[in-house]
Amino acid sequence: MGVLYNYKQVKAFALIALHNLLNSANRNNINLKTLDMFLDPLEKVHKKEEVIEYAEKLKSREEK
């Protein structure tokens, strides 16, 4: 069986992918295919133990 993620980790990966997509050249072409393109590499970039903290940092920066 592969690595399991809890809901908060999955949500954090999705938030990071959306943030990256909205701040990319593809921001005018938001759909499931482009979101998937930004979601795929995140598992290799972020450790599942740290992904929630990183997503919270992105959200707090956006609020400022």
Side-chain angles (χ1 to χ4, degrees), residues 22-35:
L22 291 173
N23 291 287
S24 75
N26 290 319
R27 67 182 165 273
N28 295 323
N29 187 27
I30 297 174
N31 56 47
L32 293 178
K33 186 176 179 181
T34 56
L35 180 61

Side-chain angles (χ1 to χ4, degrees), residues 5-64:
Y5 297 90
N6 64 39
Y7 176 76
K8 288 183 179 182
Q9 291 166 330
V10 171
K11 182 178 174 182
F13 277 114
L15 288 171
I16 294 166
L18 181 58
H19 172 269
N20 292 346
L21 176 56
L22 291 173
N23 291 287
S24 75
N26 290 319
R27 67 182 165 273
N28 295 323
N29 187 27
I30 297 174
N31 56 47
L32 293 178
K33 186 176 179 181
T34 56
L35 180 61
D36 190 46
M37 181 176 69
F38 278 80
L39 195 53
D40 278 344
L42 292 180
E43 185 178 16
K44 292 179 178 80
V45 174
H46 298 285
K47 295 179 182 177
K48 73 181 220 173
E49 297 81 14
E50 300 168 355
V51 71
I52 296 170
E53 183 180 332
Y54 183 69
E56 291 298 323
K57 284 181 186 178
L58 289 176
K59 286 182 0 184
S60 68
R61 281 187 210 158
E62 191 172 274
E63 291 171 358
K64 292 180 180 181

